[in-house]
Amino acid sequence: METSEKDNKYFRAKDKVEAIKKFYTSLLSYIFFIGLLAGINYWTDEWRYPWFLWAAFGWGIGLVFQAIKTFSLSPFFGRDWEERKIKEYMHKDEKQQRWK
């Protein structure tokens, strides 16, 4: 049983590292491509209309949500919240079963 728990911890840690790696890869892609679009924007109209900001804003929103998911930044619905709620409902169900 101890080996299986160690395996579970290993796989959870591995998944977390993969998610962090994916986030940083996305962040580097964002920086590179938005920089490229900004350069094209400057080259074509010298930022009279900074259209690259639309792409930066849209992609940035997605990146923020990915960061929230990757680093568990959600204060309301994080992993701990899920586990607490599961235990709470299991405890309530156990109490109800005792009195039936």
Side-chain angles (χ1 to χ4, degrees):
M1 185 164 171
E2 186 177 315
T3 306
S4 126
E5 188 174 325
K6 284 183 180 178
D7 288 342
N8 287 339
K9 287 181 181 180
Y10 172 77
F11 288 122
R12 281 192 307 239
K14 186 176 178 183
D15 289 342
K16 184 73 171 175
V17 168
E18 286 177 9
I20 291 170
K21 183 179 174 184
K22 186 176 178 182
F23 170 74
Y24 284 127
T25 302
S26 297
L27 181 63
L28 288 174
S29 298
Y30 174 82
I31 292 168
F32 175 77
F33 284 108
I34 296 303
L36 182 67
L37 289 175
I40 291 170
N41 190 185
Y42 180 75
W43 184 60
T44 56
D45 68 358
E46 296 178 354
W47 285 328
R48 280 180 241 135
Y49 177 69
W51 52 262
F52 79 95
L53 293 176
W54 291 106
F57 180 69
W59 194 350
I61 290 172
L63 204 57
V64 166
F65 283 115
Q66 185 179 4
I68 288 170
K69 181 180 176 189
T70 301
F71 298 110
S72 303
L73 300 175
S74 177
F76 303 109
F77 300 112
R79 179 102 175 125
D80 294 336
W81 177 85
E82 289 178 14
E83 290 179 15
R84 281 194 319 260
K85 281 297 186 184
I86 289 170
K87 287 178 184 178
E88 178 185 326
Y89 287 125
M90 287 174 62
H91 184 67
K92 283 182 181 178
D93 190 45
E94 187 178 300
K95 278 185 173 180
Q96 289 178 353
Q97 292 297 326
R98 283 185 192 167
W99 297 104
K100 283 187 176 184

